[in-house]
Amino acid sequence: MAKRQETLLRLTYIINFLKSKKDGADYSEIAKHLEERAYREGEEQIPFSEKTFQRDRKVIEEVYNVIIQFKNSNKKYHIIDADLDINNSTLLDSFILINAYKQMGNRQDVIIFEKRQASGLYNFDGFIHAIQNLKKISFEYIRHWENTGNRKVVEPYALKEFRNRWYLLAVKDI
């Protein structure tokens, strides 16, 4: 597994572990949890020091906006605001799901997805590029309930998920 993936998984495991501990957890409990999890999932045991944990705390706060604070009263770490930003929570969930799916390999009977239409995510890179670089794009627009489409030229400014469908928010070119 790539080092970046290992780090993301470790951060995810730390967040989820501390969210599950009302009274918090000390460093040794967190380290033991990570070690047991790696053993249970057959992953390579990655060295985890207190210094690594302190770096992880900073990254978790910067990336996920989750503050892990040490309380002197019980000598344990706590998540201050367990209400993750909805975007960060969705990203964490997606990462956990992808990792679980990869671990199962060809075992399609273990994780059973709901049947659904393709979501159009294959267009994301192009849309993100156009949004970031203020580019106009043109495409064939087809409503999901119709079979015919028409050509659109737009200036995109955001992507929005609504009821499991992705929408491009844009200004129509006149």
Side-chain angles (χ1 to χ4, degrees):
M1 186 183 297
K3 186 167 176 49
R4 187 173 295 162
Q5 270 186 307
E6 291 167 353
T7 301
L8 287 172
L9 270 176
R10 186 177 65 242
L11 299 177
T12 303
Y13 295 158
I14 291 169
I15 292 169
N16 288 339
F17 180 67
L18 287 174
K19 279 174 48 177
S20 73
K21 297 290 184 184
K22 257 188 178 171
D23 297 330
D26 61 27
Y27 165 75
S28 62
E29 291 172 304
I30 295 167
K32 183 179 178 191
H33 171 73
L34 293 174
E35 183 180 315
E36 288 173 353
R37 182 137 197 163
Y39 177 77
R40 192 172 59 239
E41 295 180 11
E43 296 173 355
E44 181 183 335
Q45 181 60 43
I46 300 152
F48 183 71
S49 66
E50 201 151 350
K51 189 175 181 179
T52 302
F53 176 60
Q54 296 309 324
R55 277 195 305 264
D56 287 351
R57 283 180 59 202
K58 288 178 185 172
V59 173
I60 287 169
E61 184 172 351
E62 290 170 5
V63 174
Y64 298 110
N65 201 27
V66 173
I67 300 169
I68 298 173
Q69 188 175 64
F70 183 77
K71 290 190 178 177
N72 280 323
S73 58
N74 65 355
K75 306 286 188 219
K76 294 188 177 188
Y77 293 95
H78 299 262
I79 290 183
I80 297 305
D81 187 6
D83 295 331
L84 288 173
D85 174 300
I86 189 75
N87 292 330
N88 291 332
S89 181
T90 301
L91 288 173
L92 279 172
D93 289 349
S94 296
F95 186 73
I96 291 168
L97 184 61
I98 289 167
N99 188 59
Y101 187 74
K102 283 172 68 176
Q103 285 180 346
M104 295 315 305
N106 270 346
R107 300 272 326 268
Q108 295 178 0
D109 60 326
V110 176
I111 298 176
I112 304 168
F113 290 98
E114 181 178 357
K115 291 191 186 325
R116 55 183 148 166
Q117 282 185 308
S119 61
L121 292 177
Y122 50 85
N123 292 314
F124 256 48
D125 285 343
F127 291 152
I128 296 290
H129 176 77
I131 291 167
Q132 289 177 327
N133 296 291
L134 306 171
K135 302 276 186 189
K136 290 182 184 180
I137 59 171
S138 68
F139 56 91
E140 187 74 18
Y141 175 71
I142 303 171
R143 290 185 172 97
H144 69 272
W145 63 86
E146 295 178 357
N147 289 331
T148 60
N150 55 8
R151 192 116 208 92
K152 300 276 186 187
V153 177
V154 298
E155 290 182 51
Y157 60 87
L159 292 161
K160 164 101 175 102
E161 185 182 23
F162 180 70
R163 294 188 181 169
N164 295 322
R165 286 198 174 90
W166 283 96
Y167 295 88
L168 179 68
L169 305 181
V171 177
K172 187 176 177 183
D173 193 34
I174 299 174

